[in-house]
mmCIF file of all heavy atoms in Angstrom:
data_model
loop_
_atom_site.group_PDB
_atom_site.id
_atom_site.type_symbol
_atom_site.label_atom_id
_atom_site.label_comp_id
_atom_site.label_asym_id
_atom_site.label_seq_id
_atom_site.Cartn_x
_atom_site.Cartn_y
_atom_site.Cartn_z
ATOM 1 N N THR G 2 79.646 -9.465 151.979
ATOM 2 C CA THR G 2 79.129 -8.106 151.966
ATOM 3 C C THR G 2 80.164 -7.213 151.311
ATOM 4 O O THR G 2 81.328 -7.252 151.657
ATOM 5 C CB THR G 2 78.865 -7.620 153.403
ATOM 6 O OG1 THR G 2 77.950 -8.512 154.029
ATOM 7 C CG2 THR G 2 78.280 -6.227 153.387
ATOM 8 N N ARG G 3 79.725 -6.374 150.372
ATOM 9 C CA ARG G 3 80.699 -5.634 149.594
ATOM 10 C C ARG G 3 80.402 -4.149 149.598
ATOM 11 O O ARG G 3 79.257 -3.728 149.496
ATOM 12 C CB ARG G 3 80.710 -6.143 148.147
ATOM 13 C CG ARG G 3 81.228 -7.567 148.065
ATOM 14 C CD ARG G 3 81.026 -8.142 146.685
ATOM 15 N NE ARG G 3 81.595 -9.477 146.628
ATOM 16 C CZ ARG G 3 81.303 -10.355 145.693
ATOM 17 N NH1 ARG G 3 80.477 -10.048 144.737
ATOM 18 N NH2 ARG G 3 81.863 -11.549 145.697
ATOM 19 N N VAL G 13 72.115 8.041 144.324
ATOM 20 C CA VAL G 13 73.395 8.715 144.503
ATOM 21 C C VAL G 13 73.456 9.980 143.681
ATOM 22 O O VAL G 13 73.827 11.045 144.169
ATOM 23 C CB VAL G 13 74.556 7.779 144.121
ATOM 24 C CG1 VAL G 13 75.867 8.552 144.124
ATOM 25 C CG2 VAL G 13 74.657 6.625 145.107
ATOM 26 N N SER G 21 83.878 21.706 139.702
ATOM 27 C CA SER G 21 84.739 22.783 139.260
ATOM 28 C C SER G 21 84.391 23.251 137.854
ATOM 29 O O SER G 21 84.812 24.332 137.439
ATOM 30 C CB SER G 21 86.193 22.302 139.294
ATOM 31 O OG SER G 21 86.355 21.172 138.471
ATOM 32 N N PRO G 29 76.119 28.236 148.427
ATOM 33 C CA PRO G 29 75.049 27.830 149.343
ATOM 34 C C PRO G 29 75.452 28.019 150.800
ATOM 35 O O PRO G 29 76.627 27.917 151.152
ATOM 36 C CB PRO G 29 74.860 26.346 149.009
ATOM 37 C CG PRO G 29 76.171 25.910 148.436
ATOM 38 C CD PRO G 29 76.703 27.096 147.699
ATOM 39 N N ARG G 44 86.849 9.011 135.994
ATOM 40 C CA ARG G 44 85.999 9.684 135.005
ATOM 41 C C ARG G 44 85.770 8.817 133.767
ATOM 42 O O ARG G 44 84.729 8.892 133.122
ATOM 43 C CB ARG G 44 86.637 11.014 134.601
ATOM 44 C CG ARG G 44 86.601 12.083 135.694
ATOM 45 C CD ARG G 44 87.434 13.291 135.284
ATOM 46 N NE ARG G 44 87.418 14.339 136.283
ATOM 47 C CZ ARG G 44 86.610 15.406 136.261
ATOM 48 N NH1 ARG G 44 85.751 15.537 135.263
ATOM 49 N NH2 ARG G 44 86.664 16.306 137.204
ATOM 50 N N LEU G 55 69.840 6.823 133.688
ATOM 51 C CA LEU G 55 70.025 8.265 133.650
ATOM 52 C C LEU G 55 71.408 8.641 134.164
ATOM 53 O O LEU G 55 71.837 8.199 135.226
ATOM 54 C CB LEU G 55 68.961 8.954 134.492
ATOM 55 C CG LEU G 55 67.529 8.881 133.963
ATOM 56 C CD1 LEU G 55 66.558 9.410 135.007
ATOM 57 C CD2 LEU G 55 67.382 9.651 132.653
ATOM 58 N N ASN G 58 73.910 14.311 134.405
ATOM 59 C CA ASN G 58 73.432 15.465 133.652
ATOM 60 C C ASN G 58 71.977 15.290 133.221
ATOM 61 O O ASN G 58 71.208 16.253 133.198
ATOM 62 C CB ASN G 58 74.331 15.691 132.439
ATOM 63 C CG ASN G 58 75.730 16.099 132.840
ATOM 64 O OD1 ASN G 58 75.915 16.984 133.660
ATOM 65 N ND2 ASN G 58 76.723 15.442 132.265
ATOM 66 N N LYS G 67 61.411 19.709 136.649
ATOM 67 C CA LYS G 67 60.532 19.571 137.820
ATOM 68 C C LYS G 67 60.439 20.885 138.585
ATOM 69 O O LYS G 67 59.362 21.263 139.069
ATOM 70 C CB LYS G 67 61.049 18.459 138.740
ATOM 71 C CG LYS G 67 60.803 17.062 138.216
ATOM 72 C CD LYS G 67 61.520 16.012 139.044
ATOM 73 C CE LYS G 67 61.019 15.926 140.463
ATOM 74 N NZ LYS G 67 61.682 14.812 141.204
ATOM 75 N N LEU G 136 61.500 27.580 153.484
ATOM 76 C CA LEU G 136 60.055 27.440 153.350
ATOM 77 C C LEU G 136 59.361 27.447 154.705
ATOM 78 O O LEU G 136 59.812 26.799 155.654
ATOM 79 C CB LEU G 136 59.727 26.132 152.624
ATOM 80 C CG LEU G 136 60.225 25.965 151.189
ATOM 81 C CD1 LEU G 136 59.862 24.573 150.684
ATOM 82 C CD2 LEU G 136 59.656 27.042 150.285
ATOM 83 N N GLY G 137 58.244 28.151 154.775
ATOM 84 C CA GLY G 137 57.393 28.057 155.949
ATOM 85 C C GLY G 137 56.592 26.771 155.908
ATOM 86 O O GLY G 137 56.615 26.027 154.918
ATOM 87 N N ALA G 139 53.368 26.184 155.646
ATOM 88 C CA ALA G 139 52.360 26.114 154.590
ATOM 89 C C ALA G 139 53.015 25.917 153.227
ATOM 90 O O ALA G 139 52.516 25.157 152.382
ATOM 91 C CB ALA G 139 51.516 27.388 154.581
ATOM 92 N N GLN G 141 55.940 24.480 152.668
ATOM 93 C CA GLN G 141 56.450 23.112 152.612
ATOM 94 C C GLN G 141 55.346 22.136 152.243
ATOM 95 O O GLN G 141 55.549 21.220 151.424
ATOM 96 C CB GLN G 141 57.070 22.720 153.958
ATOM 97 C CG GLN G 141 58.459 23.279 154.176
ATOM 98 C CD GLN G 141 59.203 22.513 155.248
ATOM 99 O OE1 GLN G 141 58.734 21.485 155.740
ATOM 100 N NE2 GLN G 141 60.371 23.002 155.621
ATOM 101 N N GLY G 171 68.940 -3.485 136.770
ATOM 102 C CA GLY G 171 69.601 -3.456 138.078
ATOM 103 C C GLY G 171 70.226 -4.797 138.424
ATOM 104 O O GLY G 171 71.352 -4.855 138.919
ATOM 105 N N ALA G 195 95.855 -9.885 146.648
ATOM 106 C CA ALA G 195 96.024 -10.404 148.012
ATOM 107 C C ALA G 195 97.500 -10.692 148.303
ATOM 108 O O ALA G 195 97.983 -10.422 149.409
ATOM 109 C CB ALA G 195 95.174 -11.652 148.211
ATOM 110 N N GLY G 202 102.289 -6.494 154.468
ATOM 111 C CA GLY G 202 101.900 -6.743 155.850
ATOM 112 C C GLY G 202 100.418 -6.711 156.126
ATOM 113 O O GLY G 202 99.997 -6.610 157.284
ATOM 114 N N TYR G 205 94.394 -10.058 153.707
ATOM 115 C CA TYR G 205 92.965 -10.035 153.383
ATOM 116 C C TYR G 205 92.739 -10.939 152.178
ATOM 117 O O TYR G 205 93.592 -11.016 151.289
ATOM 118 C CB TYR G 205 92.487 -8.624 153.029
ATOM 119 C CG TYR G 205 92.615 -7.612 154.146
ATOM 120 C CD1 TYR G 205 93.656 -6.691 154.159
ATOM 121 C CD2 TYR G 205 91.680 -7.584 155.178
ATOM 122 C CE1 TYR G 205 93.777 -5.753 155.172
ATOM 123 C CE2 TYR G 205 91.788 -6.650 156.203
ATOM 124 C CZ TYR G 205 92.828 -5.741 156.195
ATOM 125 O OH TYR G 205 92.949 -4.822 157.205
ATOM 126 N N ASP G 214 87.152 -4.124 157.296
ATOM 127 C CA ASP G 214 87.865 -4.527 158.512
ATOM 128 C C ASP G 214 87.193 -3.874 159.724
ATOM 129 O O ASP G 214 87.023 -2.652 159.763
ATOM 130 C CB ASP G 214 89.329 -4.074 158.412
ATOM 131 C CG ASP G 214 90.203 -4.672 159.503
ATOM 132 O OD1 ASP G 214 89.748 -4.749 160.667
ATOM 133 O OD2 ASP G 214 91.357 -5.051 159.193
ATOM 134 N N LYS G 228 94.382 4.380 156.991
ATOM 135 C CA LYS G 228 94.889 5.098 155.816
ATOM 136 C C LYS G 228 96.041 4.335 155.163
ATOM 137 O O LYS G 228 96.116 4.251 153.932
ATOM 138 C CB LYS G 228 95.340 6.497 156.214
ATOM 139 C CG LYS G 228 94.203 7.438 156.587
ATOM 140 C CD LYS G 228 94.738 8.813 156.941
ATOM 141 C CE LYS G 228 93.623 9.784 157.288
ATOM 142 N NZ LYS G 228 94.142 11.125 157.628
ATOM 143 N N ALA G 236 97.581 0.871 145.855
ATOM 144 C CA ALA G 236 98.857 0.583 145.191
ATOM 145 C C ALA G 236 98.870 -0.831 144.614
ATOM 146 O O ALA G 236 99.366 -1.058 143.502
ATOM 147 C CB ALA G 236 100.008 0.779 146.170
ATOM 148 N N VAL G 241 98.675 -4.744 139.972
ATOM 149 C CA VAL G 241 98.188 -5.948 139.285
ATOM 150 C C VAL G 241 97.202 -5.630 138.158
ATOM 151 O O VAL G 241 96.741 -6.535 137.472
ATOM 152 C CB VAL G 241 97.538 -6.929 140.289
ATOM 153 C CG1 VAL G 241 98.511 -7.265 141.415
ATOM 154 C CG2 VAL G 241 96.221 -6.380 140.856
ATOM 155 N N GLU G 250 86.357 -7.332 131.781
ATOM 156 C CA GLU G 250 85.484 -8.491 131.935
ATOM 157 C C GLU G 250 84.023 -8.058 131.961
ATOM 158 O O GLU G 250 83.167 -8.656 131.299
ATOM 159 C CB GLU G 250 85.819 -9.237 133.234
ATOM 160 C CG GLU G 250 87.088 -10.054 133.181
ATOM 161 C CD GLU G 250 86.944 -11.293 132.318
ATOM 162 O OE1 GLU G 250 85.865 -11.917 132.335
ATOM 163 O OE2 GLU G 250 87.921 -11.637 131.627
ATOM 164 N N ALA G 268 63.358 -0.989 124.588
ATOM 165 C CA ALA G 268 62.236 -0.333 125.257
ATOM 166 C C ALA G 268 62.720 0.574 126.382
ATOM 167 O O ALA G 268 62.181 1.670 126.590
ATOM 168 C CB ALA G 268 61.269 -1.383 125.801
ATOM 169 N N ALA G 272 62.045 4.626 126.596
ATOM 170 C CA ALA G 272 61.377 5.279 127.732
ATOM 171 C C ALA G 272 62.253 6.378 128.306
ATOM 172 O O ALA G 272 61.761 7.461 128.665
ATOM 173 C CB ALA G 272 61.043 4.242 128.796
ATOM 174 N N ARG G 286 59.426 25.707 126.983
ATOM 175 C CA ARG G 286 58.220 26.543 127.088
ATOM 176 C C ARG G 286 58.333 27.616 128.168
ATOM 177 O O ARG G 286 57.498 28.509 128.218
ATOM 178 C CB ARG G 286 57.008 25.661 127.399
ATOM 179 C CG ARG G 286 56.579 24.764 126.259
ATOM 180 C CD ARG G 286 55.182 24.237 126.512
ATOM 181 N NE ARG G 286 55.082 23.507 127.780
ATOM 182 C CZ ARG G 286 55.245 22.192 127.900
ATOM 183 N NH1 ARG G 286 55.533 21.472 126.826
ATOM 184 N NH2 ARG G 286 55.122 21.600 129.066
#
Side-chain angles (χ1 to χ4, degrees):
T2 302
R3 293 171 177 163
V13 172
S21 59
R44 289 172 179 263
L55 292 171
N58 294 312
K67 286 171 64 176
L136 298 177
Q141 281 200 7
Y205 298 102
D214 191 319
K228 290 181 179 180
V241 305
E250 285 288 322
R286 290 196 302 268

